[in-house]
Amino acid sequence: MTENNKINHDLLGKKLSREMNVLELCSQVRHSARQIKRLGIKKYNWWNESLHGVARAGIATVFPQAIAMASTFDENIVFKVASIISNEARAKYNYSQSIKDYGIYKGLTMWSPNINIFRDPRWGRGQETYGEDPYLTSRFGVAFIKGLQGDDEKYIKTSACAKHFVVHSGPEAERHSFNSIASKKDMFETYLPAFKAAVIEGKVSGVMGAYNRTNGEACCASPTLMKKLLRDTWNFDGYYVSDCAALLDIVFKHKIEKNPFKAAALAMNSGCDLECGVLYNLLPFAKMFGYVSKETLRESVARLVSIRSQLGMFDENCKYNKIELNENATEENENFAIEVARKSVVLLENDGILPLTPNKQSILLTGYNAENEIAYLGNYYGEPSSYIKVLDAIKEENKNTIYSQGTHLFDSRKNADKNDAIEKAKVSDVIIVCTGLDSSIEGEEAGGMLAGGGGSLGKQGDRISLELPKVQQDFLEDLISLNKKIIILNFSGGCIDFRKYKDRVNAILQCWYPGAKAGKAIADILFGKTSPSGKLPITFYNSIVDLPPFEDYNMVGRTYRYYKGEVQYPFGYGLTYTDFDLVNSSFNSNSNTITLTIKNTGNQTCDEVLQLYVSYPQTDYPMPIKSLIKTRRMEILANKEVEVKFTIDEKDLYSFDNDGNEVFLNGTYKFNLFDGQNINIDCCEIVNNNSTKIIEKCCL
């Protein structure tokens, strides 16, 4: 959208807001906004979701969950996914408008993406994120936002909303009352970069506040976060919305303000333009009591009306109005979802058993998640037009394939006919067992509430262990005792402890929550039609015992950037069916360009994923061991070479000191090239001989 068109939308917002009385203004600041017929403003529900497909509004393409998309390490893929989602959202919106359906999940304001940092593997909602790295999260967040909002000069296609601002990543059971304490260094180094990129680079039109407090202020009533940081420092000109019912927490959980009228005014005065919830019903009384001004209400409503204008809601000739329902969940869209799944599966272990040869073995497929629909969907999902699960997909490749459930997901009291599975395993050449979790026990306020515990499960969607549920552990041990070939397909949104299995089974694939038709993608990998190429966007730790307390938001001791212990699988790791060699590496110090020649030395075409990391000069305060600064995904044909160039900008070297200042340190910067498999080398150095310089002084 051009700047002039943006100004015109803002002017319309200001004009219409000035023509509203107090009751009309207050009617627009809740997610279910009322009609103002005399001003040509229709009823509108702001709440919609599109984490990995249009959610909760009927049939839609269900892409792999966000954490799976992150394992592609390719922002172009994420951009295309979001572009498809925005098209399907428009198709649904246009149809809903035609039948005068103004209900929830039918709008164009998509409360996605989730760009929180997956800082701790116990967090059940980590599956919604792009992993543990601020750089990768920033790149994917911007790509997703741009895909949703489009590149039209006059209108945005759909409105993206970056969430949850800020320092929000568990524990779920305490999120309504918890105060996240984060240092200025951790704030600007880890928790804020993706939001800054979303606002400044992505031009995101919405930001959602978190439930928790951050450094003492409720995130949905924080003048520090909303005014000082978002608006004054980053020049954010979109709308700020509370997480759903978060404003009630100000009164009943955080107990910041006992008077609900004052609490509503506190949120509005702090900059929360829109409430998902009910507390803003009290704003007319808050205005009457003098707690909030009409001008403050007008400022928020002007921003909200501007967003609706940017979406073309006041123009019958908006080009996006022509998108019809037949463009929803098309064959092309769903085939692309399968392609994303192919690129997202991470091969953790392979002793050579993979790829399998079609129709050359008898296979038992077992495990609860093989046929468990929500293990394909994750959370925040739409209704699939159909499924392709692994059983049907494997049968297409290997006719002599049978299935037996063998185990429940977590409950030993549920009959899963383990004996039947064991007997069938005895007469099968290969056992493919589907392990893991699903969003009923790992997700947003799920777990104990919905599933009733289950051994390794924690409270309300979080985990207390990285191990599989006990019934699955027992089942795996029974299968391993048969001395058969075993392949594990694991479905989960986070890391699982595979230490006691990885040397006793033949292969392990991390499938995440891969999408409704991902059985096809998984079978293609199993039988060698494509090589696995996904890389871990999170660290697979050995145990939560190795980590600081879940409630501690200090980054020291967490993620690949600060964790110094042994791990199962490092960030960025992932095997393929081929080998890549670094044939040549050179560094031009004049242009700060690294030139690499990479060769696929195997006999299978495969995507290579290069990752460039920087290590910093020594300081007298904690610094990351290394930080990701560049990635490149490319297809390399079998026995072919490609040349790759990385140009290092000075800003790639900036870091943060203890006071939250962005600095350019004096000293030597070292660069490491990693591809998650064969290549792991220190490739060059850059020396800054000048004194340490503050690039940007901390604004907090």
Side-chain angles (χ1 to χ4, degrees):
M1 182 190 305
T2 66
E3 186 62 31
N4 282 340
N5 281 320
K6 173 65 167 60
I7 290 170
N8 289 335
H9 295 305
D10 289 345
L11 288 173
L12 178 63
K14 291 175 182 176
K15 176 181 180 296
L16 291 179
S17 68
R18 282 196 299 268
E19 295 180 23
M20 296 182 198
N21 60 41
V22 170
L23 289 178
E24 287 171 331
L25 289 168
C26 294
S27 76
Q28 298 303 298
V29 294
R30 286 188 57 231
H31 71 274
S32 51
R34 295 180 182 175
Q35 180 186 36
I36 306 178
K37 194 170 183 179
R38 68 185 183 84
L39 297 178
I41 297 175
K42 291 182 180 179
K43 210 183 190 179
Y44 182 67
N45 197 302
W46 287 76
W47 188 351
N48 207 348
E49 306 282 357
S50 62
L51 182 63
H52 56 118
V54 182
R56 303 172 178 174
I59 290 173
T61 303
V62 182
F63 290 93
Q65 177 61 289
I67 194 70
M69 285 192 275
S71 70
T72 68
F73 273 61
D74 190 338
E75 60 195 273
N76 295 320
I77 287 174
V78 174
F79 173 81
K80 186 172 179 181
V81 167
S83 299
I84 291 171
I85 291 170
S86 67
N87 218 47
E88 295 195 4
R90 270 284 174 176
K92 290 173 176 292
Y93 170 78
N94 291 342
Y95 173 74
S96 297
Q97 291 289 301
S98 72
I99 61 171
K100 294 182 169 48
D101 181 354
Y102 307 118
I104 192 171
Y105 309 132
K106 305 295 173 60
L108 295 172
T109 39
M110 319 307 288
W111 289 350
S112 306
N114 183 339
I115 54 174
N116 292 131
I117 296 298
F118 196 178
R119 67 181 179 94
D120 192 296
R122 285 165 281 203
W123 189 35
R125 293 192 77 179
Q127 62 175 285
E128 301 175 27
T129 75
Y130 299 124
E132 68 183 37
D133 180 67
Y135 170 80
L136 198 66
T137 301
S138 298
R139 300 312 338 127
F140 282 9
V142 169
F144 196 88
I145 289 161
K146 288 185 174 181
L148 281 185
Q149 297 191 166
D151 59 1
D152 185 64
E153 290 187 356
K154 192 172 182 181
Y155 297 111
I156 56 175
K157 199 174 191 182
T158 59
S159 163
C161 180
K163 65 185 187 185
H164 308 82
F165 196 66
V166 66
V167 195
H168 179 79
S169 48
E172 281 294 294
E174 300 172 24
R175 66 180 185 167
H176 295 284
S177 58
F178 192 75
N179 182 27
S180 304
I181 304 296
S183 69
K184 289 181 180 180
K185 178 176 173 60
D186 283 340
M187 287 281 282
F188 285 90
E189 182 179 82
T190 298
Y191 295 114
L192 289 174
F195 287 96
K196 183 177 182 181
V199 170
I200 295 175
E201 189 179 346
K203 306 297 182 186
V204 71
S205 57
V207 171
M208 176 180 282
Y211 285 112
N212 52 277
R213 281 169 288 152
T214 293
N215 295 329
E217 292 184 352
C219 294
C220 294
S222 169
T224 302
L225 294 177
M226 287 186 264
K227 289 189 173 179
K228 191 170 184 179
L229 187 57
L230 270 178
R231 303 237 182 248
D232 295 344
T233 305
W234 297 346
N235 297 314
F236 174 59
D237 60 0
Y239 78 101
Y240 194 97
V241 58
S242 76
D243 207 337
C244 296
L247 298 192
L248 289 176
D249 292 340
I250 295 170
V251 180
F252 298 108
K253 299 294 185 178
H254 300 305
K255 302 184 188 301
I256 291 172
E257 179 53 73
K258 294 180 181 179
N259 183 326
F261 302 100
K262 288 184 176 179
L266 174 65
M268 176 60 66
N269 291 331
S270 298
C272 187
D273 302 307
L274 184 73
E275 182 197 16
C276 180
V278 298
L279 196 67
Y280 274 3
N281 282 331
L282 303 181
L283 280 174
F285 302 98
K287 164 62 176 67
M288 184 174 65
F289 297 145
Y291 301 145
V292 66
S293 70
K294 187 174 183 180
E295 186 52 41
T296 298
L297 293 169
R298 276 183 179 153
E299 287 177 5
S300 287
V301 172
R303 284 193 281 262
L304 297 172
V305 173
S306 174
I307 297 295
R308 293 181 65 174
S309 180
Q310 291 170 49
L311 288 162
M313 292 184 183
F314 304 111
D315 183 359
E316 292 182 0
N317 297 315
C318 173
K319 64 183 258 187
Y320 297 126
N321 293 347
K322 297 176 183 178
I323 299 174
E324 297 181 352
L325 201 56
N326 60 12
E327 296 187 45
N328 176 62
T330 64
E331 183 178 1
E332 181 181 0
N333 292 353
E334 299 201 337
N335 284 339
F336 185 66
I338 294 171
E339 180 62 18
V340 177
R342 287 190 190 100
K343 294 178 184 293
S344 71
V345 171
V346 183
L347 180 61
L348 299 177
E349 298 286 343
N350 183 22
D351 69 356
I353 191 175
L354 295 178
L356 300 171
T357 303
N359 293 315
K360 289 295 185 181
Q361 59 272 303
S362 59
I363 294 175
L364 168 67
L365 178 68
T366 187
Y368 187 83
N369 274 344
E371 290 289 292
N372 179 14
E373 291 181 354
I374 59 173
Y376 291 82
L377 304 181
N379 66 357
Y380 284 90
Y381 52 82
E383 179 185 338
S385 60
S386 61
Y387 288 86
I388 301 177
K389 300 175 190 172
V390 288
L391 177 59
D392 290 336
I394 290 173
K395 281 184 174 179
E396 286 290 316
E397 303 295 332
N398 198 89
K399 298 194 185 320
N400 190 5
T401 298
I402 55 176
Y403 169 73
S404 180
Q405 181 178 309
T407 178
H408 188 263
L409 190 68
F410 63 86
D411 194 341
S412 61
R413 298 166 297 179
K414 300 286 179 67
N415 178 29
D417 208 346
K418 183 197 285 191
N419 292 335
D420 177 70
I422 296 298
E423 291 305 309
K424 288 176 177 174
K426 289 177 181 178
V427 295
S428 299
D429 299 322
V430 176
I431 303 166
I432 299 176
V433 54
C434 296
T435 63
L437 311 171
D438 69 18
S439 60
S440 74
I441 56 178
E442 177 189 45
E444 183 177 10
E445 292 195 306
M449 201 162 49
L450 297 180
S456 65
L457 309 178
K459 293 180 180 180
Q460 293 182 238
D462 293 328
R463 291 193 276 160
I464 57 173
S465 167
L466 303 184
E467 294 187 351
L468 291 167
K470 182 69 164 53
V471 292
Q472 294 187 46
Q473 294 184 52
D474 294 343
F475 185 50
L476 268 174
E477 291 295 341
D478 290 339
L479 294 174
I480 289 170
S481 71
L482 300 177
N483 294 316
K484 294 284 185 174
K485 300 287 187 183
I486 296 177
I487 299 165
I488 292 177
L489 305 179
N490 188 69
F491 295 71
S492 68
C495 64
I496 297 292
D497 182 359
F498 290 119
R499 285 176 298 167
K500 57 187 173 186
Y501 309 116
K502 65 185 202 175
D503 294 327
R504 299 159 67 208
V505 300
N506 303 91
I508 303 174
L509 290 92
Q510 176 65 24
C511 301
W512 311 106
Y513 298 131
K517 295 189 175 178
K520 167 66 175 163
I522 294 167
D524 286 349
I525 290 171
L526 289 173
F527 291 92
K529 287 186 173 180
T530 189
S531 172
S533 56
K535 307 296 177 182
L536 293 178
I538 55 174
T539 300
F540 267 46
Y541 303 97
N542 286 334
S543 169
I544 61 169
V545 174
D546 299 332
L547 294 168
F550 193 10
E551 300 78 11
D552 184 356
Y553 279 80
N554 190 312
M555 289 306 298
V556 172
R558 299 185 186 281
T559 79
Y560 80 91
R561 298 164 79 230
Y562 281 105
Y563 182 74
K564 296 180 180 179
E566 293 294 319
V567 300
Q568 289 183 82
Y569 307 106
F571 176 91
Y573 171 88
L575 304 176
T576 68
Y577 291 158
T578 190
D579 290 324
F580 296 101
D581 284 352
L582 179 62
V583 177
N584 185 53
S585 173
S586 63
F587 178 62
N588 184 323
S589 58
N590 293 321
S591 62
N592 286 340
T593 299
I594 304 170
T595 302
L596 310 163
T597 303
I598 309 293
K599 183 175 182 179
N600 180 346
T601 59
N603 57 10
Q604 182 162 3
T605 295
C606 181
D607 282 6
E608 168 70 314
V609 179
L610 295 177
Q611 307 153 46
L612 185 66
Y613 297 83
V614 64
S615 296
Y616 303 93
Q618 189 171 0
T619 62
D620 58 2
Y621 49 83
M623 285 290 290
I625 300 163
K626 62 179 183 177
S627 293
L628 183 67
I629 59 168
K630 306 280 184 183
T631 64
R632 186 76 51 81
R633 183 184 185 106
M634 77 221 88
E635 181 182 78
I636 305 181
L637 302 177
N639 294 305
K640 296 295 182 182
E641 296 179 356
V642 298
E643 185 178 88
V644 183
K645 293 186 177 183
F646 288 116
T647 299
I648 300 168
D649 299 318
E650 183 183 293
K651 65 182 181 180
D652 295 326
L653 309 182
Y654 296 163
S655 59
F656 292 90
D657 65 18
N658 263 354
D659 295 320
N661 301 314
E662 190 170 23
V663 296
F664 187 22
L665 295 169
N666 164 264
T668 301
Y669 293 82
K670 298 180 180 180
F671 298 88
N672 172 263
L673 183 71
F674 184 48
D675 77 342
Q677 182 177 252
N678 296 75
I679 300 170
N680 188 3
I681 65 153
D682 295 328
C683 54
C684 65
E685 296 181 353
I686 292 177
V687 179
N688 176 25
N689 290 314
N690 298 318
S691 299
T692 294
K693 178 174 65 173
I694 293 178
I695 302 300
E696 185 175 340
K697 195 164 181 62
C698 181
C699 64
L700 299 183

